[in-house]
């Protein structure tokens, strides 16, 4: 149980275009999902907390107009990187937290974004 | 604000040897503590967690961790390492209370296993 998927696993896009990454909880409903960014050989940096049916909460320094998050259902959250630039190239990982606690998060396999 | 320190960036052990990965946290109240493992190019897998109760917690793949409040530590141990344990290990702390507890991760420890 507690499986989280991400799609695509790898994407290459041109500078200036937008790309959407999907995060799905497959066998549980997730009222809260999280989006992280991970640079090579570094830890995870929380970008935003996504709550179903409401606006995402972004961490300080994360541009909300650049990283659009939508959590339209209890099993799906999407991250759209708008007007991508090469510096947005990174490994993006989502996680989902089952409702009612306790507080462990289950992680997706990640999406490798390369902006050329 | 909570924080996590993993003092060891890289550890190398021989297969069959014991392992201990260190984790120190900073948090004003009772923390929720986690260990995750990440294989290259993959997401994170939960190894074990501590919320309350017995301070020695058992996890998957033969791992265990001990919560020591007096030392603000949550070290991960395994009595006999297998080559497949080579990966990146992250300790994380979550704030107690609240409805959307965020996790703060340490910088990770890369484990290399020699045959």
């Amino acid at each position: 149980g507690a499986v989280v998927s991400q799609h695509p696993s790898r994407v290459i896009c041109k500078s200036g275009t937008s790309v959407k990454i999907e995060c799905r909880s497959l066998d549980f409903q997730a009222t809260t999902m999280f989006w992280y960014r991970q640079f090579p050989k570094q830890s995870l940096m929380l970008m935003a907390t996504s709550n179903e049916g409401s606006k995402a909460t972004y961490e300080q320094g994360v541009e909300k107009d650049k990283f659009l998050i939508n959590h339209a259902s209890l099993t799906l959250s999407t991250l759209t990187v708008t007007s991508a630039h090469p510096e947005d190239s990174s490994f993006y990982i989502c996680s989902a937290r089952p409702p009612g606690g306790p507080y462990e998060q289950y992680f997706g396999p990640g999406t490798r974004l390369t902006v050329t | 604000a909570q924080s996590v320190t993993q003092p060891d960036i890289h550890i190398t052990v021989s297969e069959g040897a014991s392992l201990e990965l260190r984790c120190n946290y900073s948090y004003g109240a009772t923390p929720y503590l986690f260990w995750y493992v990440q294989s290259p190019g993959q997401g994170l897998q939960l190894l074990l967690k501590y919320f309350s109760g017995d301070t020695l917690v058992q996890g998957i793949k033969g791992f265990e961790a001990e919560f020591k409040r007096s030392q603000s530590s949550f070290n991960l141990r395994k009595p006999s390492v297998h080559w497949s344990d080579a990966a990146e290990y992250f300790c994380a702390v979550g704030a107690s209370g609240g409805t959307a507890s965020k996790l703060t991760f340490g910088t990770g420890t890369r484990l290399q296993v020699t045959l």
Side-chain angles (χ1 to χ4, degrees), chain A residues 92-104:
Chain A
Y92 293 88
I93 307 176
C94 74
S95 70
R97 190 174 73 86
Y103 298 96
E104 68 263 35

Side-chain angles (χ1 to χ4, degrees), chain A residues 32 34 36 38 41-44 46 49 51 59 91 93 97 102-110 112, chain B residues 32 34 36 38 41-44 46 49 51 90 95 97-103 105-108 110:
Chain A
T32 304
F34 302 85
Y36 296 84
Q38 186 179 32
K41 300 188 178 183
Q42 294 190 26
S43 188
L44 282 74
L46 179 65
T49 303
N51 293 296
E59 295 299 300
F91 193 56
I93 307 176
R97 190 174 73 86
Y103 298 96
E104 68 263 35
Q105 296 175 20
Y106 295 94
F107 286 79
R112 171 75 58 194
Chain B
Y32 295 144
F34 308 85
Y36 286 88
Q38 183 181 33
Q42 300 295 315
L44 277 69
L46 178 66
K49 59 185 183 277
F51 295 132
F90 292 97
T99 59
S101 180
K102 297 187 293 187
L103 295 181
F105 286 86
T107 50
R110 180 168 296 277

Side-chain angles (χ1 to χ4, degrees), chain B residues 32-88:
Chain B
Y32 295 144
L33 296 161
F34 308 85
W35 274 100
Y36 286 88
V37 60
Q38 183 181 33
S39 296
Q42 300 295 315
L44 277 69
Q45 181 182 22
L46 178 66
L47 285 176
L48 46 78
K49 59 185 183 277
Y50 171 79
F51 295 132
S52 65
D54 193 347
T55 56
L56 183 63
V57 294
Q58 302 296 320
I60 62 171
K61 303 184 178 185
F63 286 93
E64 67 177 26
E66 186 171 12
F67 170 60
K68 292 186 177 180
R69 185 186 300 275
S70 61
Q71 298 178 19
S72 297
S73 69
F74 189 57
N75 295 348
L76 181 71
R77 301 194 294 250
K78 186 170 184 178
S80 178
V81 170
H82 188 263
W83 64 267
S84 60
D85 294 324
E88 188 87 20

Side-chain angles (χ1 to χ4, degrees), chain A residues 42-57:
Chain A
Q42 294 190 26
S43 188
L44 282 74
M45 181 185 73
L46 179 65
M47 299 175 65
T49 303
S50 167
N51 293 296
E52 186 267 338
S54 63
K55 291 184 178 180
T57 302

